[in-house]
Amino acid sequence: MDALPSGRQVLNTILSSTSRGPNGGASPVFTNASCRAPNHFVVGLRSSKNQVARYREIPIYEVSRSNSIKCMTAEVYGQNAQGTAVEAKISEMSLEPFVDVSPGQPFPLGVSELENGINFAIFSQHASSVTLCLYIPERDKSQKIDYRIVEFNLNTEINKSGDRWHILVKDLPRSGVLYGYRICGPQGWKEGHRYDSSIVLLDPYAKLIEGRRMFGDTTRKMSKFLGTYDFTSLPFDWGPNYKLPSIPEKDLVIYEMNVRAFTADESSGLDPDIRGSYLGVIEKIPHLLELGVNAVELLPVFEFDEFEFQRRPNPRDHMINTWGYSTINFFAPMSRYASSGGGPLAASQEFKEMVKALHNAGIEVILDVVYNHTNEADDEHPYTTSFRGIDNKVYYMLDLHNPVQLLNFSGCGNTLNCNHPVVMELVLDSLKHWVMEYHVDGFRFDLASVLCRGTDGTPLSVPPLIKAIAKDDVLSRCKIISEPWDCGGLYLVGSFPNWDRWAEWNGKYRDDIRKFIKGDQGMKGSFATRLAGSSDLFQVNKRKPYHSINFVIAHDGFTLYDLVAYNFKHNDANGEGGRDGSNDNFSWNCGVEGESSDPYVNALRSRQMKNFHLALMISQGTPMMLMGDEYGHTRYGNNNSYGHDTFINHFQWKQLESKKQLQFRFFSEVIKFRHGHPALAQEKFLEKGDITWHESNWDNYESKFLAFTLHDRDQRDLYLAFNAHDYFVEAVVPSPPNKRKWYRVVDTNLPSPDDFVSEGVPGIKDIYNVAPYSSILLEAKP
């Protein structure tokens, strides 16, 4: 084979062999425009009538001894992060125009099918040129799919409406085409621009994303992520008897879980092809029903790159992002949660199958969504995949007067400019897409205080995006939950702008419950306030107790077992020298740090876990528990395990089986008791007639005992007592309602199955000796 020819030699060969196109007067063109990757040449036909040109960009040429032209077509999986082909197959490419184009239309953004072709539209306010990059699938003789690369430069006069660039491409396949954009613009770093047309960028409105197919596949570590589309599949069949669960907020019991970690472990007993997938969740719905939860809150399921820590040498380059808090795109389901490496279309289909199955089981689906930042990191170590290269000044908060221009209220290097009108529209379109296309029931917004900041980072009293979400018709049926703080210090627990719609993760509930039950002094009043629904925080305007999302444990921090087994975090495996993760855990190891063979220590830990769970489930408000706490999952003291795709995070099904008649039984029974007792899910804040506190000395700083009675309209009163002292307390049990007797349902000091007896144990005296670090629940019955 001859040496690679010069650009002029290639041009002469192309021009001599290119036929005239269908538009009269069209002439062949050749360009190597500025802001283009080296060794890329565009060929095509430009009409004398200034119509849209048909372009074909050829990245690398080889001229054979027979003088025929060949194009190197890259296999998409074999591209590195900068879009350079590292695995490629040489295949012959005809220079006849194979597609026709027209100006297209600016709406909707993304890809849409029109009567005469496929329309592509993207927003970029500051771009000077936009090139659509298409990867057309073709099968070789062995039926392996390769991609022919074709690019179209968009004409600023006829392919641009305002700040939207658009083109309609005719005769494209209706599915399987991959696409992205090269965008050129001002190179003024100090002005906030980050354009680099050598990178093929992902469309922010891409509904499906193609990348590596298997989660954690190290052979495809540097895979490129490209948008794709499908207009051939039939609409998903939700079934004739399908309906949304529509569970009232006051009745929710939320189970926070990770799709992959739920079934990735071999102990799940599932076929390897569906472990860690959406279909794997379906297989384990019986567990969720047996536990008694009626809503799952899924850790991020938007497309993310699990290898983001391994792009360059750094202290974390051994880790795999398993939590997913690093969004690449806000519309596409995580493709590597599809079974058998099925790819983006299978992921979309199987996500819907999961939602359908959960709904048919009466379980709602809430998504943990990350609109506060993206995967593109900071300016020191950027990972440009989309927004940064499309319009950095629009999509991110910047301080152009600071050498470090990207504002970082997320703790992840950048902050999405959520209240910019264009970004706000993107977020709303994304949320509505998940509701209409995937039927999800609600959203939990990670670091939601970021969404309350203006374009310069200043906190807003009436943030437009927060109001728009609360007022949107499509989102009106959804649960909307904020994590009301961010990494810039904007702590809004109890004061999050809410329009009487937004619920909040109650961080004060978590802290106060932990402190009291582990035995801190001076916490009795706060503990009582949290159990009663946190009226000090939420009894404003028309807000309800269920707007408090009560939790003791979440994905971020200690598991429930680690809360009672560790005084200190043990995060050495993260590679950050123990600097990551919270230092304020309010935990108590019950006398021994970590694993112990001491039966007294282990019994105390078991008792404490049951105390926490009982307190959570009898509190007014919406309870949320963490996946794995029902059997006592441990991360061995790691309170920031985001980067471990191992047993540290994976649900251990064999451990569950070993605890089925012990801890799991107790947890399940308490949840089901909550569902069955209306006094535990009040729609209004408690008033004097609803509760009696058996306490006359609230100011006793040393007191760690609290008892009270919840009154019920049907006289099914509940008496509860919590003893955080290290000694027995003789509790004076009040008289039950008329013609009723007290029955013991819970005593966490007793071994299973006596720790919970659903029908209750009679014979309760006037004095109940409550054991150290234990709690009881009595029910009034005829």
Side-chain angles (χ1 to χ4, degrees):
M1 183 169 289
D2 295 334
L4 189 67
S6 69
R8 180 55 56 185
Q9 289 174 314
V10 171
L11 172 61
N12 291 335
T13 307
I14 292 170
L15 295 184
S16 64
S17 61
T18 303
S19 61
R20 295 173 66 86
N23 297 323
S27 58
V29 297
F30 171 84
T31 179
N32 189 14
S34 62
C35 211
R36 176 169 302 287
N39 298 326
H40 279 65
F41 303 99
V42 176
V43 297
L45 299 173
R46 176 172 294 138
S47 170
S48 60
K49 298 178 181 179
N50 202 31
Q51 293 176 349
V52 177
R54 287 184 291 280
Y55 290 109
R56 183 177 303 110
E57 177 163 317
I58 304 175
I60 302 173
Y61 278 95
E62 289 187 357
V63 180
S64 70
R65 295 188 185 277
S66 62
N67 216 25
S68 63
I69 305 299
K70 294 189 177 182
C71 174
M72 183 176 287
T73 57
E75 182 185 349
V76 171
Y77 286 151
Q79 292 182 339
N80 67 17
Q82 300 305 316
T84 305
V86 294
E87 285 181 40
K89 174 181 167 61
I90 306 298
S91 62
E92 195 163 332
M93 172 177 149
S94 168
L95 290 173
E96 289 293 328
F98 80 104
V99 288
D100 195 4
V101 294
S102 66
Q105 61 186 41
F107 297 96
L109 289 170
V111 180
S112 54
E113 185 177 40
L114 303 182
E115 184 177 352
N116 53 346
I118 306 297
N119 192 76
F120 298 83
I122 189 171
F123 166 90
S124 182
Q125 178 180 341
H126 296 101
S128 58
S129 69
V130 173
T131 300
L132 172 65
C133 308
L134 298 180
Y135 299 75
I136 314 297
E138 296 179 335
R139 292 186 181 273
D140 60 17
K141 293 180 180 179
S142 66
Q143 295 301 301
K144 180 181 178 181
I145 295 179
D146 292 311
Y147 290 86
R148 179 166 41 156
I149 304 173
V150 182
E151 299 192 354
F152 299 93
N153 285 341
L154 275 59
N155 188 310
T156 56
E157 295 182 6
I158 55 180
N159 294 112
K160 188 169 184 270
S161 301
D163 295 324
R164 293 175 180 238
W165 303 72
H166 46 84
I167 186 171
L168 186 139
V169 185
K170 303 175 183 179
D171 304 318
L172 274 181
R174 298 179 66 227
S175 66
V177 174
L178 310 184
Y179 77 101
Y181 293 91
R182 298 185 190 276
I183 298 183
C184 189
Q187 296 300 296
W189 181 281
K190 292 182 179 180
E191 286 72 45
H193 299 298
R194 301 294 184 267
Y195 289 105
D196 183 350
S197 66
S198 69
I199 302 174
V200 178
L201 301 167
L202 183 63
D203 177 9
Y205 274 79
K207 305 303 190 296
L208 300 170
I209 293 177
E210 183 70 82
R212 75 183 69 88
R213 289 291 183 95
M214 302 297 294
F215 192 95
D217 181 0
T218 56
T219 67
R220 307 289 191 187
K221 187 180 294 186
M222 301 303 288
S223 291
K224 184 77 178 172
F225 294 94
L226 294 168
T228 187
Y229 58 81
D230 173 64
F231 297 113
T232 61
S233 298
L234 294 174
F236 182 77
D237 182 10
W238 291 95
N241 299 317
Y242 168 82
K243 62 179 181 179
L244 299 170
S246 299
I247 300 170
E249 287 181 87
K250 71 180 184 65
D251 295 328
L252 285 181
V253 175
I254 301 173
Y255 186 78
E256 191 192 30
M257 60 173 286
N258 180 298
V259 167
R260 173 167 170 78
F262 194 45
T263 63
D265 196 80
E266 184 180 358
S267 65
S268 67
L270 300 182
D271 186 291
D273 285 341
I274 66 170
R275 290 178 198 160
S277 72
Y278 301 122
L279 297 186
V281 174
I282 295 175
E283 294 296 317
K284 296 300 183 179
I285 288 176
H287 168 72
L288 301 174
L289 293 174
E290 187 178 4
L291 180 59
V293 297
N294 58 13
V296 291
E297 185 174 298
L298 305 180
L299 265 63
V301 294
F302 294 1
E303 186 76 26
F304 66 92
D305 181 5
E306 69 271 23
F307 282 122
E308 66 170 332
F309 309 130
Q310 301 190 23
R311 296 191 301 270
R312 58 180 178 82
N314 69 92
R316 300 188 297 166
D317 61 11
H318 60 292
M319 294 207 290
I320 293 178
N321 185 344
T322 188
W323 284 359
Y325 288 90
S326 195
T327 309
I328 286 179
N329 171 278
F330 298 113
F331 290 85
M334 177 60 173
S335 59
R336 286 170 299 291
Y337 287 170
S339 64
S340 306
L345 190 55
S348 177
Q349 178 81 8
E350 292 175 9
F351 187 95
K352 293 172 185 175
E353 291 179 16
M354 178 189 69
V355 172
K356 177 181 176 180
L358 287 164
H359 282 178
N360 287 339
I363 299 173
E364 291 197 338
V365 179
I366 298 170
L367 302 187
D368 191 339
V369 291
V370 187
Y371 292 108
N372 60 80
H373 75 282
T374 76
N375 67 294
E376 294 190 302
D378 54 21
D379 279 336
E380 184 178 3
H381 300 292
Y383 180 33
T384 302
T385 57
S386 183
F387 308 95
R388 176 184 173 91
I390 294 171
D391 208 323
N392 192 66
K393 289 187 71 170
V394 167
Y395 283 109
Y396 294 113
M397 293 184 189
L398 304 176
D399 179 2
L400 299 182
H401 303 291
N402 193 316
V404 181
Q405 293 183 353
L406 287 171
L407 297 176
N408 185 17
F409 298 113
S410 68
C412 297
N414 63 68
T415 308
L416 204 66
N417 196 10
C418 293
N419 283 300
H420 185 287
V422 170
V423 186
M424 188 170 111
E425 180 184 18
L426 171 77
V427 174
L428 288 169
D429 287 346
S430 165
L431 293 170
K432 289 186 280 190
H433 175 70
W434 287 96
V435 172
M436 295 185 292
E437 182 72 15
Y438 293 103
H439 291 199
V440 302
D441 304 284
F443 304 92
R444 176 265 186 189
F445 292 79
D446 180 65
L447 297 181
S449 290
V450 164
L451 281 59
C452 299
R453 294 181 181 270
T455 56
D456 62 352
T458 303
L460 304 174
S461 59
V462 186
L465 176 59
I466 297 299
K467 180 178 180 180
I469 293 171
K471 299 294 185 180
D472 188 86
D473 289 341
V474 173
L475 303 178
S476 62
R477 73 167 181 83
C478 294
K479 281 77 176 176
I480 49 176
I481 303 167
S482 71
E483 183 184 35
W485 51 82
D486 65 21
C487 294
L490 189 57
Y491 189 80
L492 297 175
V493 174
S495 59
F496 190 85
N498 56 80
W499 287 271
D500 299 325
R501 281 267 285 127
W502 283 83
E504 302 175 28
W505 266 27
N506 191 345
K508 292 184 178 180
Y509 178 96
R510 172 199 59 207
D511 296 345
D512 291 347
I513 299 297
R514 287 185 178 193
K515 290 176 185 178
F516 178 86
I517 288 182
K518 82 182 183 72
D520 284 2
Q521 295 183 339
M523 293 305 301
K524 181 163 62 176
S526 296
F527 181 66
T529 299
R530 302 297 158 240
L531 296 183
S534 297
S535 60
D536 61 325
L537 300 174
F538 297 100
Q539 195 169 11
V540 179
N541 298 329
K542 297 180 181 180
R543 304 197 81 184
K544 306 294 183 183
Y546 53 71
H547 286 129
S548 171
I549 305 298
N550 299 331
F551 68 103
V552 178
I553 303 296
H555 67 276
D556 193 2
F558 280 150
T559 65
L560 185 60
Y561 176 85
D562 290 354
L563 186 68
V564 300
Y566 293 90
N567 284 351
F568 309 100
K569 64 184 182 183
H570 295 262
N571 295 1
D572 291 344
N574 296 356
E576 298 186 57
R579 295 182 297 275
D580 64 311
S582 173
N583 295 317
D584 300 321
N585 298 291
F586 307 119
S587 62
W588 176 43
N589 64 16
C590 296
V592 176
E593 186 74 357
E595 296 301 304
S596 174
S597 58
D598 187 326
Y600 172 81
V601 170
N602 289 331
L604 177 56
R605 289 174 175 175
S606 175
R607 205 154 67 239
Q608 287 288 75
M609 286 190 284
K610 290 188 285 187
N611 291 336
F612 279 119
H613 186 65
L614 180 65
L616 177 64
M617 291 301 159
I618 60 87
S619 296
Q620 301 300 318
T622 302
M624 183 189 78
M625 64 173 291
L626 176 66
M627 174 188 87
D629 282 348
E630 65 266 39
Y631 66 82
H633 183 85
T634 180
R635 295 175 183 154
Y636 302 97
N638 192 322
N639 74 349
N640 193 28
S641 65
Y642 63 94
H644 298 283
D645 186 40
T646 67
F647 61 89
I648 289 180
N649 282 309
H650 294 173
F651 195 101
Q652 299 297 302
W653 292 92
K654 287 184 178 178
Q655 289 187 34
L656 170 69
E657 287 303 315
S658 70
K659 298 289 182 68
K660 217 46 180 309
Q661 299 305 316
L662 301 170
Q663 183 162 319
F664 174 82
R665 175 188 172 276
F666 181 88
F667 274 49
S668 174
E669 292 287 359
V670 171
I671 292 172
K672 292 170 184 175
F673 185 85
R674 176 184 175 87
H675 287 313
H677 208 293
L680 299 177
Q682 301 275 9
E683 197 158 5
K684 298 180 180 179
F685 285 95
L686 299 178
E687 299 177 349
K688 284 186 177 181
D690 299 321
I691 191 168
T692 299
W693 300 101
H694 305 300
E695 177 61 57
S696 58
N697 191 9
W698 288 102
D699 297 327
N700 184 351
Y701 184 78
E702 297 181 354
S703 176
K704 305 175 188 178
F705 180 85
L706 179 69
F708 59 95
T709 299
L710 280 172
H711 301 293
D712 177 66
R713 293 178 182 177
D714 298 326
Q715 295 189 317
R716 293 175 57 198
D717 287 9
L718 299 177
Y719 172 85
L720 291 118
F722 291 85
N723 180 18
H725 287 290
D726 58 2
Y727 53 80
F728 280 88
V729 172
E730 292 186 348
V732 178
V733 180
S735 299
N738 188 35
K739 297 182 180 180
R740 302 270 169 160
K741 297 179 181 179
W742 290 117
Y743 286 74
R744 188 197 76 229
V745 178
V746 173
D747 187 336
T748 61
N749 184 54
L750 299 176
S752 182
D754 295 328
D755 53 357
F756 186 100
V757 180
S758 57
E759 66 275 16
V761 177
I764 303 302
K765 309 292 185 181
D766 294 340
I767 300 293
Y768 197 106
N769 211 12
V770 184
Y773 300 110
S774 73
S775 49
I776 65 169
L777 184 156
L778 311 179
E779 182 179 14
K781 301 175 69 173

